[in-house]
Amino acid sequence: MAEPIRVALAGATGRTGREVGRAIVAAPDMVLVAALARSHAGEHLGALWGDEAVDLTVVDTVGEAATQYPTVMVDFTEPDSAYPRLLDAVDRGWSIVVGTTGFSREQRSELARRTAAHGVAAALIANFSVGAWLSERLAEEAARFFPDVEVLEAHHATKRDRPSGTALRMASLLAAATRRDPDAIPVHSMRLPGLVAHQTVVFGAAGQVLTIRHDVHDRSAYAAGVLAAIRRLPSLGGRFVENLGDLMPTAKEPAP
Ligand SMILES: NC(=O)c1ccc[n+]([C@@H]2O[C@H](COP(=O)([O-])OP(=O)(O)OC[C@H]3O[C@@H](n4cnc5c(N)ncnc54)[C@H](OP(=O)(O)O)[C@@H]3O)[C@@H](O)[C@H]2O)c1
């Protein structure tokens, strides 16, 4: 059997990082070797997760994580700290799987340039849930027939970016499918307690409305896409992937 993939996880103490981290720990072909965070640095990850079997101390620098020889860095934190952390990881030759949203166009370009220069793979995916990716595929098809479309996104009250990266990506796909500028696709945002992550794409046409809706009820929804990315990266050396579809198994392989 091949050696397990050694993964460092930034944001391991966060709402999404916990779910992703649990899935990495449960995956037979991966090992979680380092957990990074900010305010919980120095604490026992197992105690924070309520799973004493997870025997890692949370660290707060890439240098400390490097002592455990990861080959992949997964990041679910926030963009200001993630950007230098990811550049540092890439400079060390690690592949990166990035769920953190809110990077500027210039930051994404520099991450792409740096990963190509080092020949490492990067997956920067605005939404790792397979349902969101399927929504995009369905919406692109629907837009060919129903060009009048608006996007509604709704998230928990503490989400920092608005509109969400997922909604901006949907608007850009719809714009390309209808040959318009992305700004021509209206995107509406809500931030409310009680919500997790919800997106509705509404197509209006004479006498009918078509709605494509995706709801994330808990953050375990992102884990399968993240594991698929970690597994796919070794075959993507030097590539910078922003489309979850590029990481999904082919029709001949089992779905995640
Ligand atoms: N792509 C996707 O599919 C997807 C899905 C869900 C969320 N997200 C994105 O993932 C990110 C995290 O979301 P969340 O809801 O899980 O947030 P969260 O619960 O607030 O967790 C944030 C995590 O980041 C850590 N952190 C914050 N500032 C840091 C810093 N300066 N240095 C190191 N670590 C730092 C926190 O550590 P402490 O706990 O120690 O402070 C915590 O572990 C957001 O950008 C969100 O938009 C993406």
Side-chain angles (χ1 to χ4, degrees):
M1 199 175 134
E3 287 289 309
I5 305 166
R6 299 177 69 80
V7 183
L9 172 62
T13 57
R15 287 164 295 194
T16 317
R18 280 171 200 239
E19 295 297 335
V20 167
R22 287 192 181 104
I24 292 168
V25 167
D29 54 345
M30 296 175 199
V31 53
L32 183 65
V33 296
L36 292 91
R38 179 192 44 182
S39 48
H40 289 98
E43 295 180 38
H44 187 254
L45 187 66
L48 291 165
W49 283 6
D51 179 357
E52 291 298 330
V54 178
D55 190 16
L56 283 177
T57 300
V58 178
V59 298
D60 61 357
T61 65
V62 177
E64 288 168 284
T67 63
Q68 302 308 311
Y69 305 108
T71 57
V72 178
M73 162 85 88
V74 176
D75 197 295
F76 279 86
T77 60
E78 54 78 47
D80 293 343
S81 68
Y83 182 60
R85 181 168 48 247
L86 292 167
L87 289 176
D88 191 349
V90 168
D91 287 346
R92 291 170 191 266
W94 307 347
S95 297
I96 53 172
V97 173
V98 185
T100 304
T101 55
F103 296 108
S104 66
R105 191 186 299 262
E106 292 72 30
Q107 288 175 325
R108 294 209 310 270
S109 299
E110 177 57 18
L111 282 167
R113 194 195 66 72
R114 201 79 78 94
T115 49
H118 287 283
V120 301
L124 195 77
I125 307 290
N127 195 318
F128 274 102
S129 70
V130 177
W133 167 61
L134 289 171
S135 298
E136 289 178 355
R137 293 179 66 184
L138 298 170
E140 276 183 307
E141 181 67 9
R144 291 178 52 216
F145 302 94
F146 295 155
D148 292 316
V149 56
E150 303 204 4
V151 180
L152 290 79
E153 61 96 346
H155 282 83
H156 56 91
T158 57
K159 183 169 177 60
R160 282 179 50 171
D161 48 328
R162 170 201 290 252
S164 69
T166 306
L168 291 175
R169 193 182 140 83
M170 177 63 88
S172 130
L173 291 173
L174 291 167
T178 55
R179 295 193 170 80
R180 277 181 288 175
D181 191 88
D183 293 340
I185 309 288
V187 178
H188 312 272
S189 299
M190 282 199 296
R191 297 286 176 269
L192 288 172
L195 296 171
V196 181
H198 315 265
Q199 182 169 278
T200 311
V201 185
V202 184
F203 298 88
Q208 57 188 317
V209 168
L210 172 67
T211 303
I212 298 172
R213 179 179 168 131
H214 179 239
D215 296 288
V216 167
H217 297 297
D218 78 65
R219 291 169 176 80
S220 60
Y222 304 112
V226 174
L227 297 193
I230 295 170
R231 291 187 177 115
R232 194 59 95 187
L233 285 183
S235 63
L236 296 176
R239 270 189 67 196
F240 187 80
V241 176
E242 293 189 272
N243 179 8
L244 187 60
D246 294 341
L247 304 167
M248 284 289 119
T250 62
K252 291 185 183 146
E253 296 167 320

